[in-house]
């Protein structure tokens, strides 16, 4: 029997598009379009006040393409959340640290039905075995879908 795709042990490939629903209604189509496991230089270059990661950590950067398909308007930065789950099973959340991110998804204004946007999410992740972890994407506080580290 084939294992369900999008789980921690069988993650989606980067570039996969998901349709997310809440309250029985489809609200978003979301694609994890690209990933950089070590975007520390990009994050530090974006703002001189961004903190240098602690020893053993680095900034990962995920690019998201999202289209709002719900009724009225949706806020992509509040609806779409990204975490990183290390090979050891520890979760690192996008809000564990506060950094200025180039073209950040969080802080973008609402978009209306049929409108698309692109933005980045930065997460502080462990440097060791980063390629063996997975990304966890949650939309509208739903269950996470897991994506390959790269």
């Amino acid at each position: 029997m084939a294992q369900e795709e999008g789980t921690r042990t069988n993650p989606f490939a980067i570039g996969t598009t998901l349709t997310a629903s809440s309250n029985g209604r489809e609200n978003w189509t979301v694609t994890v379009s690209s990933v950089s496991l070590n975007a520390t230089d990009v994050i530090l270059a974006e703002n001189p006040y961004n903190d240098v990661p602690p020893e053993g950590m680095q900034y990962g950067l995920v690019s998201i393409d999202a289209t709002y398909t719900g009724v009225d308007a949706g806020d992509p930065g509040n609806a779409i959340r990204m975490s990183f789950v290390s090979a050891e099973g520890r979760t690192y959340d996008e809000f564990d640290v506060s950094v200025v991110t180039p073209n950040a998804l969080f802080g973008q204004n609402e978009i209306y039905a049929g409108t698309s946007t692109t933005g980045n999410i930065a997460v502080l992740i462990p440097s060791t075995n980063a390629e063996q972890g997975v990304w966890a994407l949650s939309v509208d506080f739903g269950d996470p879908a897991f994506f390959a580290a790269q």
Side-chain angles (χ1 to χ4, degrees):
M1 182 164 97
Q3 185 180 13
E4 181 181 355
E5 196 174 16
T7 63
R8 198 171 145 225
T9 55
N10 188 26
F12 289 118
I14 301 302
T16 302
T17 298
L18 302 180
T19 299
S21 302
S22 65
N23 300 323
R25 186 179 312 160
E26 291 180 1
N27 289 329
W28 294 94
T29 58
V30 179
T31 304
V32 176
S33 57
S34 67
V35 168
S36 173
L37 285 178
N38 191 352
T40 299
D41 290 345
V42 172
I43 296 298
L44 294 178
E46 182 65 16
N47 189 296
Y49 296 105
N50 283 344
D51 291 332
V52 172
E55 177 123 4
M57 302 294 284
Q58 63 197 29
Y59 291 109
L61 192 65
V62 180
S63 182
I64 300 288
D65 296 329
T67 301
Y68 185 67
T69 59
V71 178
D72 297 323
D75 183 335
N78 285 326
I80 300 166
R81 296 280 184 248
M82 185 62 70
S83 298
F84 182 83
V85 182
S86 70
E88 295 75 30
R90 181 169 177 196
T91 300
Y92 299 84
D93 187 74
E94 66 180 282
F95 293 113
D96 288 344
V97 295
S98 177
V99 294
V100 177
T101 303
N103 189 34
L105 189 67
F106 188 78
Q108 290 189 15
N109 294 330
E110 289 183 324
I111 58 175
Y112 284 85
T115 304
S116 298
T117 191
T118 298
N120 295 318
I121 299 173
V123 182
L124 188 63
I125 66 174
S127 301
T128 303
N129 299 322
E131 68 284 348
Q132 295 173 17
V134 293
W135 296 101
L137 172 75
S138 177
V139 180
D140 286 333
F141 302 101
D143 292 335
F146 295 91
F147 287 81
Q150 53 187 2

